[in-house]
Amino acid sequence: MIVRHLDATDLGKTITLPTLSAPGRCRKGTLTNIIPNHGSDTSTLIIGDHQHIVPNGATVYVDQAVAVNGL
């Protein structure tokens, strides 16, 4: 999913953010906040307890799995 398309429905989902600073490594965790940075065409994503400033055109991977109880 493109960062600019993230919204409140994605909060609480597990996302994977490919990082440019460490090729081949990703940051994966629960998305807890999305803060648009209007002046720079970036967004600050809070994943777990870490902040990541990401271009709005970047791709992140959203885990669409749904927990099922009682099986």
Side-chain angles (χ1 to χ4, degrees), residues 27 32 44-52:
R27 173 70 177 127
T32 57
T44 300
L45 304 181
I46 310 298
I47 303 171
D49 59 354
H50 294 95
Q51 292 185 9
H52 299 272

Side-chain angles (χ1 to χ4, degrees), residues 12-14 28 62-68:
K13 292 183 180 176
T14 299
K28 183 174 183 172
V62 179
D63 183 357
Q64 298 296 331
V66 177
V68 178

Side-chain angles (χ1 to χ4, degrees), residues 17-56:
L17 174 66
T19 61
L20 297 176
S21 61
R25 301 188 72 185
C26 294
R27 173 70 177 127
K28 183 174 183 172
T30 302
L31 180 64
T32 57
N33 204 352
I34 307 163
I35 305 165
N37 303 319
H38 300 290
S40 62
D41 196 33
T42 63
S43 292
T44 300
L45 304 181
I46 310 298
I47 303 171
D49 59 354
H50 294 95
Q51 292 185 9
H52 299 272
I53 298 173
V54 184
N56 286 330

